[in-house]
Amino acid sequence: GAVLVLVQAGFTYGSVNQSNNLIFEQYTKAILDKAPKNSLIFSYQWDYFLSASYYFQHVEGLRKDVAVIDKELLRRSWYYNQLNRCYPWLTASYKPEADVFLREVVPFEKEIPYEAQIIEKAYRDVILAILLKNMKDRPVFLAPELVDKELANKEFELPPNIKLVPDLFFFRLTDKDEYIPAPDPDFTYQTGGVDNIYIEQIRLLTGAMLLRRAQYELSYNKKERAKVYIDKVIKDFPGTQVPPEFMEKLK
């Protein structure tokens, strides 16, 4: 019996050993490291960014100037206390809307009759307050899953004057028309040979955002900058296909 257990462990160890898989740490640290000072990041990538960011920020003290907000946790009243503790300088920007939501969500959390539409509207008002009121004073970023799903499906909508500029990992909100630079993609991912759906998702998200950044650079005829991002995709994200027209525009 013991021999069979050891043999089975030998076969499965390679697939479950994560000791050399640093991609979650590297992805999260790269996001925080590349974020401009006093940024606000809005996402719901819990499995491979948000949970790790809370550890690095609030245990290791990394980039505590960056506010990282979980869009889905804004549906829970306890999360507002956490935000107040972690980012007290942020609270005033959305407090009126949060007060309405916290009042309306009480029946839902107490499992008594509630008005779902009223709660949902109050929740969306909080989201918009956080994004729009803060973009006046600080860089505000939306994660791609929010752009490709929630915004695309009109689960919440931004005013028509707001534009989304692809950065390295996320989209930056702006109401201006001028070119906005982004950092170099000088980050690396190390998986230690491990592959799973989460790792694949990080690679796909990163590769797609780099291509979007390259397209943005090309729209301003900044071919050298576009080449920086395209070269990164070709080198490190072979699963992301570079459109032939991008390569044509580099000539």
Side-chain angles (χ1 to χ4, degrees):
V3 173
L4 287 175
V5 170
L6 289 173
V7 169
Q8 183 68 20
F11 278 118
T12 60
Y13 177 76
S15 63
V16 299
N17 177 27
Q18 301 278 331
S19 60
N20 294 318
N21 178 14
L22 303 178
I23 191 170
F24 303 102
E25 175 181 349
Q26 291 167 337
Y27 177 65
T28 302
K29 284 185 172 180
I31 290 171
L32 294 174
D33 178 61
K34 297 295 185 181
K37 186 176 181 182
N38 298 328
S39 293
L40 188 154
I41 297 174
F42 206 75
S43 175
Y44 61 85
Q45 295 178 27
W46 178 259
D47 291 320
Y48 34 89
F49 165 58
L50 288 166
S51 56
S53 76
Y54 292 156
Y55 170 78
F56 290 120
Q57 282 193 300
H58 306 302
V59 176
E60 295 194 358
L62 181 68
R63 292 304 305 272
K64 295 186 76 171
D65 63 297
V66 177
V68 178
I69 298 181
D70 187 321
K71 176 249 180 189
E72 285 304 306
L73 288 183
L74 284 172
R75 295 181 182 275
R76 300 292 178 259
S77 61
W78 61 264
Y79 185 57
Y80 291 79
N81 293 328
Q82 179 174 310
L83 289 178
N84 292 341
R85 289 194 304 272
C86 296
Y87 317 116
W89 39 267
L90 190 66
T91 305
S93 67
Y94 61 90
K95 188 177 188 305
E97 292 79 8
D99 286 345
V100 173
F101 172 78
L102 292 171
R103 182 181 69 242
E104 298 296 345
V105 82
V106 168
F108 170 77
E109 294 190 335
K110 289 188 174 181
E111 298 184 346
I112 59 179
Y114 60 88
E115 293 287 343
Q117 290 183 327
I118 293 176
I119 296 173
E120 184 66 20
K121 182 185 182 305
Y123 165 68
R124 294 184 187 191
D125 287 346
V126 171
I127 291 174
L128 290 176
I130 291 173
L131 296 176
L132 301 179
K133 292 184 182 179
N134 282 286
M135 65 175 284
K136 300 172 186 175
D137 304 312
R138 66 183 72 249
V140 173
F141 295 90
L142 270 182
E145 73 274 9
L146 283 158
V147 174
D148 295 335
K149 295 178 182 177
E150 274 75 0
L151 277 180
N153 296 332
K154 297 188 175 182
E155 291 182 30
F156 73 93
E157 298 182 66
L158 296 172
N161 66 311
I162 301 300
K163 302 169 186 65
L164 296 171
V165 175
D167 198 74
L168 276 187
F169 304 99
F170 302 137
F171 291 89
R172 182 167 177 170
L173 273 63
T174 182
D175 57 2
K176 299 178 175 60
D177 290 322
E178 69 259 23
Y179 171 82
I180 298 177
D184 288 337
D186 53 355
F187 54 87
T188 58
Y189 294 158
Q190 178 183 333
T191 66
V194 177
D195 200 7
N196 56 46
I197 189 172
Y198 300 109
I199 293 171
E200 182 64 18
Q201 189 67 13
I202 289 175
R203 286 175 172 150
L204 289 174
L205 283 171
T206 307
M209 284 306 302
L210 290 172
L211 283 186
R212 282 164 155 165
R213 182 65 203 186
Q215 185 176 30
Y216 176 78
E217 299 286 355
L218 289 170
S219 73
Y220 283 88
N221 201 33
K222 295 182 178 292
K223 295 182 180 181
E224 288 304 312
R225 286 304 296 168
K227 188 174 185 299
V228 169
Y229 301 103
I230 290 172
D231 285 349
K232 179 69 171 179
V233 172
I234 293 171
K235 177 177 178 288
D236 290 348
F237 302 96
T240 300
Q241 191 71 34
V242 178
E245 58 267 28
F246 281 27
M247 305 304 295
E248 282 294 318
K249 290 178 181 179
L250 291 181
K251 295 178 180 179

